[in-house]
Amino acid sequence: MTKSIRLFALLFLLVVSTATQAQKSKKATTAAPVTGTVWSVEKATAWYNQHKWITGANYIPANAINQLEMWQADTFDPATIDKELGWAKGLGFNTMRVFLHSIAWKQDPDGFKKRVGEFLTIADKHHIQPLFVFFDDCWNKEPKAGKQPEVKTGIHNSGWMQDPGQPASADSINFPGLEKYVKDVLTSFAHDKRILLWDLYNEPGNNGKGDSSLALLTKLFEWARAVNPDQPISAGLWAWDLENLNAFQLTHSDVITYHDYQEAPLHKTVIQILKANGKPLICTEYMARTRNSRFSTELPMMKKENVGAINWGFVAGKTNTIYAWDTPTPDGSQPVEWFHDIFRPDGTAYREDEVILIKKLNGVL
């Protein structure tokens, strides 16, 4: 079989697995009810239909190299956030995907939650309903509090930090502390209508972790169900060969979130197969220009398919995501074509034609 056929066959099997496991879950919850249960297709669809077409970007301020620099008290910058979310509003975006970090909470739980609340107030002012990400298996393995690393010239996301880190995420001795963090934040904002969704774990199994991330992912869903927030919970599919993780994520998510950086025809096929699950779809990462995943091809297709669309990258800045994942530029010169991001730090568009397209599709032009 070709790579594409294997991919689609796997996705189909995952969808079948989801339907089967959902029936088992329904029987189990009838016998032994729990505080929160996986949303039905009907409930998830009703929730999705209450919103306009969901569009936005993954967001971190241009002056933050990672989640800790965004959220720690000394470097939290509401003025920059306000300015940049104003640019998002101008595009007609109605959501932004934002990563939290457990270490920022551990330093000062009340202060951290106050800053999250301030962020939500700013976002609400711009008619943006963000989704928050708890844990993450991507990039640097050992996050530390305090001053964050300097930018590495020309290297994509040189300072981004995993949460809780590696090998910390695999050691169950850390789970009680993480449980306190997750439940505290979820309980504090469980009924906050300014929040769209909780994205519990970004790319579980990345950085070679594989199925070792399943233990924490399982606990994370248990903790979230115990709080039972009003907002849906999910964990996005991202690597089709992680079969056990994918099956768990599909079965336990209220709405289906996923990542796709393929060209539009292959991405569309993934959408068509995932739709067999019956639940609404939100693509929480896409758009890598040099891989031919572009606004011009992806965004109109996702709108036509009624799939939420959240691209990676908003304002070019310290994350260096104008550079490709695997193509460092040691002299720091601008790449021939930006990999991610929409705006320069001064708010001017990298490509005006993209901005016009986004505005038109969002009905603000």
Side-chain angles (χ1 to χ4, degrees), residues 137 166 201 203-215 238 242 244-245:
D137 276 351
Q166 198 169 350
Y201 204 142
E203 300 197 352
N206 207 333
N207 269 293
K209 293 182 180 182
D211 283 354
S212 69
S213 294
L214 187 56
W238 70 279
L242 296 176
N244 293 326
L245 284 163

Side-chain angles (χ1 to χ4, degrees), residues 109-295:
D110 290 339
F112 175 78
K113 289 184 292 181
K114 182 180 178 181
R115 291 187 288 278
V116 171
E118 189 171 353
F119 179 89
L120 286 168
T121 297
I122 296 168
D124 188 55
K125 167 186 167 183
H126 296 293
H127 308 295
I128 289 169
Q129 197 179 17
L131 58 148
F132 287 124
V133 183
F134 276 107
F135 295 149
D136 187 2
D137 276 351
C138 291
W139 303 106
N140 294 287
K141 299 178 180 181
E142 297 182 349
K144 292 180 174 62
K147 189 179 186 309
Q148 295 305 296
E150 297 299 321
V151 177
K152 293 181 181 178
T153 303
I155 295 178
H156 178 106
N157 250 341
S158 65
W160 195 267
M161 294 295 168
Q162 294 182 27
D163 188 9
Q166 198 169 350
S169 62
D171 192 343
S172 61
I173 198 171
N174 298 313
F175 290 4
L178 296 172
E179 179 180 4
K180 289 179 182 177
Y181 159 58
V182 171
K183 286 186 173 180
D184 184 29
V185 173
L186 280 176
T187 300
S188 298
F189 297 99
H191 309 297
D192 197 319
K193 296 184 183 303
R194 297 173 297 178
I195 296 172
L196 179 71
L197 180 148
W198 298 101
D199 189 352
L200 298 183
Y201 204 142
N202 180 65
E203 300 197 352
N206 207 333
N207 269 293
K209 293 182 180 182
D211 283 354
S212 69
S213 294
L214 187 56
L216 179 56
L217 180 68
T218 301
K219 287 294 183 183
L220 187 49
F221 271 88
E222 288 178 7
W223 303 334
R225 292 294 175 205
V227 175
N228 196 23
D230 294 341
Q231 310 92 345
I233 64 174
S234 185
L237 306 165
W238 70 279
W240 310 120
D241 58 337
L242 296 176
E243 299 174 18
N244 293 326
L245 284 163
N246 288 336
F248 183 89
Q249 289 161 247
L250 275 167
T251 305
H252 290 78
S253 293
D254 294 328
V255 297
I256 305 304
T257 58
Y258 71 98
H259 299 171
D260 200 301
Y261 289 101
Q262 301 178 101
E263 296 182 2
L266 287 174
H267 184 179
K268 183 177 179 180
T269 303
V270 169
I271 288 171
Q272 290 169 335
I273 293 170
L274 287 176
K275 279 186 173 182
N277 177 272
K279 289 187 173 181
L281 305 180
I282 303 173
C283 181
T284 51
E285 288 188 28
Y286 77 98
M287 210 287 288
R289 294 181 184 91
T290 59
R291 292 181 171 233
N292 207 27
S293 173
R294 303 174 183 277
F295 287 117

Side-chain angles (χ1 to χ4, degrees), residues 75-96:
T75 45
F76 182 67
D77 186 353
T80 295
I81 291 168
D82 186 27
K83 175 182 68 177
E84 293 177 354
L85 292 189
W87 301 341
K89 177 185 178 182
L91 293 177
F93 281 167
N94 51 39
T95 193
M96 300 295 261

